[in-house]
Amino acid sequence: MYTAKPENKFTFGLWTVSNVGRDPFGEPTRKPITPVEAVHMMAEVGAYGVNFHDNDLIPINATTGERNRIIADFKKALNDTGLVVPMATTNLFSDPAFRDGAFTSNDPKVRAYALQKTMNAIDLGVELGAKIYVFWGGREGVETDSGKSALSAGKWFRDSLNYLTEYVLDQGYDLKFALEPKPNEPRGDIYLPTVGAMLGFIETLDHPEMVGLNPEVAHDTMAGLNFMHAVAQAWDAGKLFHIDLNDQSPGRYDQDFRFGAYNIKNAFFLVKLLEDVGYDGPRHFDAHAYRSSNYDDVKAFAAGCIRTYLILKEKAAQFNADPEIQALLAEITADDGSMAPFQGKYSPENAAALRAVEFNRQALGERGQPYERLDQLVVELLLGAR
Ligand code: GLT
Ligand code: MN
Ligand code: MN
């Protein structure tokens, strides 16, 4: 039971299971493992794919010889395990060169270096099979607005994405971009902090059809937002290209907890949305194990992400099939059809007809809505009491 199937498209980043447990106050608590070891661990828990930043795979200082050897070893691990690479991305945040941003740095040399590094990383990702390319602008922001123009930063970011979509087209790559918003951390304020901000920005690009979203549970939750609502908006816009699943306590630093570790109810409604709409992109766990875990426990963490998703998927199917839950939903959304003329497009005629309708405002305000009963059934479903 609860075994991953390829169609679930469960993936992990190399940086997730290989996370060594460093935090701003403490040194690593785990020894580094190689990309090959990480791929084998993912395969053991039933993952379908592995994603990486250029420098998760190839150290930034690697020689050409080292690079070729690493790629050959990695390809062999993919072959041996059957894992694929659905997504790749660029590390534009670790190196001190990017301390003031990459595409939005005030320094034109840093902006150009970011373009060069991303073109190289795109080539690497495509070589290994990636069809989605993520842009997480971790350093694209400020601590103080005294030194950088938000308008210039937005223009530079737009110019960079336009440049890179042209590069992809020029190479004939089958690759789409997925932008990943985050409100803060590591910068005090990161530009384009929400799904909605990114959706608006995408429409200003030269190739909006090539660019969508990679929303992450932790990032919206940090800001106290309802992540599922953001995902629904991205889906509705045809822009849910990828998703980063993890968990997070609101108002804290970016915790990247195991999927479902903090708020099972929110995780349930997210899984239900993804399954109900038929999202068929990668389900990427961008999470890492507690700092106190050894690698046995890291494996339990990775297996836990998958199991929780699959259990919640089963619960979502149960919700959809539960007669009592469905009867309450039918009552809540009941429609006698009398308002049908006003539900479509505006016309002067139906507007005139609408003006003539006499509404019983008191009855509207008194109608019962059994959300308490329904929500209790959801809680009992999740607690295994149904
Ligand atoms: C980093 C970040 C994630 C991003 C990754 C992609 S790297 O771990 O916290 O949210 O998805 O760059
Ligand atoms: Mn992420
Ligand atoms: Mn995160």
Side-chain angles (χ1 to χ4, degrees):
M1 275 188 103
Y2 310 123
T3 311
K5 298 199 185 76
E7 66 261 29
N8 300 130
K9 294 191 183 155
F10 291 131
T11 65
F12 291 89
L14 270 187
W15 67 93
T16 62
V17 297
S18 313
N19 184 289
V20 290
R22 180 184 293 111
D23 76 10
F25 304 95
E27 300 303 332
T29 59
R30 292 184 283 269
K31 293 208 175 66
I33 58 171
T34 65
V36 168
E37 288 170 320
V39 166
H40 282 276
M41 191 199 301
M42 292 172 197
E44 281 165 34
V45 300
Y48 156 87
V50 50
N51 311 311
F52 57 83
H53 299 87
D54 49 355
N55 304 134
D56 298 338
L57 190 59
I58 300 168
I60 198 163
N61 296 321
T63 63
T64 311
E66 285 162 348
R67 180 190 153 93
N68 293 342
R69 186 179 44 72
I70 291 168
I71 294 177
D73 289 349
F74 191 66
K75 281 185 177 168
K76 180 171 183 307
L78 296 176
N79 238 334
D80 291 346
T81 56
L83 259 69
V84 296
V85 175
M87 177 271 259
T89 182
T90 329
N91 185 324
L92 296 171
F93 44 88
S94 293
D95 195 90
F98 301 120
R99 66 199 187 285
D100 188 32
F103 303 126
T104 66
S105 167
N106 266 326
D107 184 338
K109 289 202 177 75
V110 174
R111 299 200 297 273
Y113 173 52
L115 281 178
Q116 183 202 66
K117 192 173 192 288
T118 303
M119 287 191 293
N120 292 337
I122 286 176
D123 294 348
L124 174 68
V126 169
E127 181 185 344
L128 288 158
K131 298 270 188 294
I132 299 161
Y133 204 83
V134 162
F135 290 79
W136 172 64
R139 297 277 175 204
E140 312 290 14
V142 293
E143 283 70 44
T144 167
D145 284 315
S146 53
K148 201 189 284 187
S149 155
L151 285 174
S152 301
K155 180 184 170 308
W156 292 330
F157 190 45
R158 179 181 304 116
D159 290 348
S160 302
L161 286 174
N162 287 339
Y163 188 102
L164 292 165
T165 47
E166 290 300 342
Y167 175 71
V168 165
L169 292 170
D170 191 34
Q171 301 302 305
Y173 291 156
D174 174 18
L175 191 69
K176 287 193 165 181
F177 291 176
L179 311 183
E180 180 177 344
K182 186 174 182 182
N184 58 274
E185 199 192 330
R187 300 310 299 269
D189 289 289
I190 297 177
Y191 295 121
L192 301 168
T194 60
V195 166
M198 288 290 191
L199 285 172
F201 174 75
I202 288 170
E203 294 310 313
T204 72
L205 298 172
D206 289 348
H207 291 285
E209 73 287 355
M210 291 172 66
V211 186
L213 264 291
N214 176 37
E216 174 175 314
V217 177
H219 297 178
D220 281 53
T221 309
M222 282 168 73
L225 301 174
N226 183 316
F227 180 66
M228 187 272 279
H229 292 186
V231 173
Q233 191 188 354
W235 174 263
D236 180 65
K239 292 296 188 190
L240 189 65
F241 287 7
H242 198 267
I243 191 162
D244 276 2
L245 301 172
N246 55 18
D247 214 350
Q248 172 76 29
S249 157
R252 305 263 160 104
Y253 64 94
D254 185 23
Q255 294 170 308
D256 293 333
F257 283 152
R258 189 181 75 257
F259 183 58
Y262 183 78
N263 191 327
I264 289 184
K265 204 172 170 190
N266 283 1
F268 167 71
F269 286 118
L270 176 60
V271 170
K272 183 169 167 349
L273 175 75
L274 295 175
E275 297 301 322
D276 283 351
V277 299
Y279 169 76
D280 78 342
R283 289 164 176 77
H284 174 226
F285 297 111
D286 186 10
H288 47 76
Y290 304 133
R291 210 168 159 253
S292 41
S293 297
N294 62 15
Y295 279 109
D296 278 346
D297 205 40
V298 171
K299 208 170 140 186
F301 143 87
C305 287
I306 288 179
R307 279 181 64 80
T308 300
Y309 189 100
L310 290 173
I311 293 167
L312 292 176
K313 181 179 170 182
E314 188 183 85
K315 297 280 181 194
Q318 234 178 303
F319 178 104
N320 290 339
D322 187 307
E324 208 179 332
I325 289 178
Q326 292 307 314
L328 286 172
L329 274 177
E331 184 185 333
I332 287 166
T333 58
D335 185 347
D336 66 6
S338 60
M339 295 296 116
F342 317 121
Q343 284 163 355
K345 229 177 146 199
Y346 168 87
S347 74
E349 294 73 30
N350 73 29
L354 177 55
R355 269 196 227 285
V357 176
E358 275 191 39
F359 288 99
N360 182 341
R361 209 175 67 242
Q362 195 181 339
L364 291 179
E366 285 173 354
R367 200 185 137 214
Q369 288 172 306
Y371 288 125
E372 290 286 4
R373 274 164 62 201
L374 177 58
D375 191 63
Q376 180 63 25
L377 293 182
V378 171
V379 168
E380 294 192 12
L381 181 80
L382 294 178
L383 292 177
R386 283 187 79 70

